[in-house]
Amino acid sequence: MSAEAGQVLARQRHPGARHWLVSLAVAGSAAAATTTVAQGSGHFHWWAGFVLIPGALIAASGGPLLARGGGRAFAGYVVVCVGALVFATGALLMVGVMSQGWPVMIILPCLAVAGTYLWRPAHPLARGLHRAVALLALSGAILGGTFQLIRAGTVDFGDTGWWGAFMMLAGVIVLGNAAELTRHRMPYRLQAITLLAGPAVVAFLLGLRFLRGW
């Protein structure tokens, strides 16, 4: 009986150990690849390793929690996202491109928030608010990507108030989620729709004003 119990415990520990090994291997490979690229770029800043390596370890520590699923998956997701953001900061510093790649600091947090869309609350009101926040974060990531393209010289909008388009998009997203709440019968539905629709209309009109240059 004791031998069988030991085998069962060993089998239970094995998946967790495997997840840790995979997470550490991915983190180590990412750190090594980034260091190699930085050394080959001619702008290697070794001191950025004190940011890069902790970021890789933080992300690796969240991997096993994320792989287990269940209630711990969300905590693991948050830890992985925090570690990835720290790692990206270290990578930009190590290669010496922070002045050109700073929009990444907008893109990554926004993508992290947008990724929580998969965790959908059961209550319709909480689900609608969460969906609005996740979609707004996705539009923020697109905004960061636009900044990156402008910084790289790929696109040039001139003197137009192009950011107004993103304000209009944000208004449409919030207004669409407010309209979706009309399908559900729940307390405080009218108040919730009003609180969403009001700022959405204001944001849309302000965005239109900036875009048209009124």
Side-chain angles (χ1 to χ4, degrees):
M1 293 294 294
S2 61
E4 293 178 358
Q7 292 178 356
V8 171
L9 290 175
R11 291 174 181 175
Q12 290 177 347
R13 293 193 191 102
H14 180 67
R18 183 180 61 204
H19 294 153
W20 272 106
L21 290 175
V22 171
S23 295
L24 291 174
V26 172
S29 300
T34 303
T35 303
T36 302
V37 171
Q39 290 176 340
S41 66
H43 299 284
F44 177 60
H45 299 99
W46 62 269
W47 48 265
F50 292 102
V51 180
L52 184 79
I53 295 176
L57 293 176
I58 292 172
S61 65
L65 294 175
L66 186 60
R68 289 180 184 179
R72 299 181 180 180
F74 186 78
Y77 178 81
V78 173
V79 174
V80 169
C81 290
V82 171
L85 182 60
V86 176
F87 182 88
T89 303
L92 293 174
L93 292 173
M94 181 173 283
V95 182
V97 294
M98 180 60 79
S99 60
Q100 292 82 23
W102 60 264
V104 175
M105 298 295 100
I106 299 176
I107 298 172
L108 289 182
C110 288
L111 287 179
V113 175
T116 64
Y117 184 83
L118 299 176
W119 284 275
R120 304 184 66 184
H123 195 278
L125 178 58
R127 186 167 60 248
L129 293 175
H130 176 254
R131 181 172 55 244
V133 171
L135 293 176
L136 287 174
L138 181 60
S139 65
I142 299 173
L143 175 62
T146 304
F147 277 127
Q148 186 64 74
L149 293 175
I150 294 174
R151 189 62 182 169
T154 305
V155 296
D156 185 8
F157 296 107
D159 296 330
T160 61
W162 58 270
W163 60 87
F166 286 93
M167 296 182 64
M168 295 173 65
L169 176 61
V172 170
I173 289 173
V174 177
L175 190 61
N177 282 278
E180 197 276 337
L181 290 178
T182 60
R183 301 191 304 109
H184 304 282
R185 294 184 177 274
M186 58 185 179
Y188 309 111
R189 179 181 62 175
L190 181 60
Q191 293 88 333
I193 293 173
T194 303
L195 288 175
L196 288 174
V201 173
V202 173
F204 185 89
L205 294 177
L206 283 177
L208 182 62
R209 178 182 182 277
F210 288 128
L211 186 64
R212 298 294 298 271
W214 292 345

